[in-house]
Amino acid sequence: VVSIHRPTKAIIDLKAIKENVENEVARLPKATDLFAVVKANGYGHGAIETATAALEGGASGFCVATVDEGIELREAGFSEPILVLGIVSVADIGLLSYYNLSFPVSTNEWLQEAAAFLQKNPVTNPLKVHLKVDTGMGRIGFISNEELLSAVKWLQEQSLFTWEGVFTHFATADQADDTYWQEQNQRFQTALACLPELPRYVHAGNSATALWHAEAVGNMVRYGIAMYGLNPSGTALPETYPLKPALSLVSELVQVKLLEKGAGIGYGETYITPQAEWIGTVPIGYADGWLRKMQGFSLLVAGEYCEIVGRVCMDQLMIRLPRSFPAGTKVTLIGEDNGQCITMQKVAEQLETIHYEVACTLSARVPREYKS
Ligand SMILES: Cc1ncc(COP(=O)(O)O)c(CNc2conc2O)c1O
C-alpha cells in the first residue's frame, strides 16, 4: 500500500526529465532517435509519468524490461514504438503481436520454437524482432556472426515477422578506460558488415555511450539513467552537459526530544548518547528502501547535516539534531535543502552500490509526487 498518510514522499521533477531528454536530443547526430528507458517503473520514478515527460522532451520510443511493462505503457495510451529488452517466452508472443511490442531475439532456436508455436497459434499483427548481438556483455545476444546471419536470412523470408532492429549493449561505456568498449564496438561493426541489409533501427547505446562515445554506430540511443539526471559513471567521468536530477526524497520530524547522556537509541542499543542530545524521529525505514546500512549517514534539517544514529528500523529512523526543532520540520534525505544537497550518488556510496539500485529500490510504499 502506498502510504500517503505519512510525510515521507519522493518528489519527481518532470521538467528535469523533459529537459534532460531535450538536451540529449539536441546533441544527438541528426536522424538519431532517442528511446526513453522507463523499465523498473521508470527506475523508480514512475514509468507513465516519465514516459510522458520524455515524449515532451523529444523521445520517439520507449524501452522496457518485460512484456508486462510494455503492456502497462500501451494500456496507458502510448502508441510510440516500445522495445522489450528482455527475452520473451515463446508462449507469450501473442501478447507481443496484440500490444505491438518489439522484442529481442538472441538465438535461432528461439525463432524455430516461435515458428512452431505460430503454426498452432497464428497472430494478426507482425512480430517486430530486434536481433541482439552479444559483443561482450555476456548476457543475451548472438555470439557468432554466422548464427546472426542465418537469423536474418530466415526472417527475410517470413511474413509474420518484421526484422525491425539489430542491437548490442556495452559493459564499460561508463568507464574512463575505453579499451573494452572499443573491442565491443568493433565486434558490433563487424557483425553489421556481415549483414545483407540493415533494419530500421541499429542501436548500441545506453546513456554512457550517448554521453561519452558519440562515435558509436546506430540511429537510436536507449537513454535511461541520464534522463533521470544521474551521471552514468557516478563520479568517474564528467558530465558533458548538466544533468538535472529528477528525484528528491523528503519527510518530516514526527517527534523531537532531549535525551540525557547515556540514553540508548534504536534496536540493539547500538547508539548511546555521549551527552545530552536532541534526537528526532523520521518515518522512513528499510521497508521504504532506506536500508539499514544508511546508519551513520547524515540527512538535512534546515540546511544542517544530522547523522542517523542507532539502527534504521523497518519504518522509522532516528537522527541527532543540533538543537530542538518542532515536530513537522522538513527532513531531506535526497535533494536540496537550504543550499545543501544530498545526491543519490552519495546514498549509493554509503551503500557501496550504484545510484541505479538506490532509485530502483525505493519501495512502493513511498508515494511519488510529481511536479512539472
Ligand atoms: C539493454 C539496455 N539498454 C539500455 C539501458 C539503459 O542504460 P542506462 O540507464 O545506463 O542509460 C539498459 C539498462 N540496464 C541496466 C542498468 O543497470 N543494470 C541494467 O541491467 C539496458 O539493459
Side-chain angles (χ1 to χ4, degrees), residues 18 21-22 25 28 33-38 50-62 80-81 221 223 227:
K18 177 185 170 212
V21 172
E22 276 171 347
V25 167
L28 281 173
D33 286 341
L34 184 146
F35 275 32
V37 183
V38 294
T50 299
T52 306
L55 269 191
E56 289 167 10
S60 44
F62 304 108
E80 291 73 16
V221 292
Y223 205 61
M227 167 173 64

Side-chain angles (χ1 to χ4, degrees), residues 275-290:
Q275 64 210 354
E277 288 181 337
W278 286 101
I279 300 294
T281 302
V282 188
I284 188 170
Y286 59 76
D288 300 300
W290 194 265

Side-chain angles (χ1 to χ4, degrees), residues 223-254:
Y223 205 61
I225 195 72
M227 167 173 64
Y228 302 101
L230 300 169
N231 180 324
S233 73
T235 54
L237 292 173
E239 296 175 1
T240 30
Y241 58 86
L243 297 172
K244 299 177 169 69
L247 185 143
S248 54
L249 182 63
V250 298
S251 188
E252 292 176 0
L253 296 173
V254 291

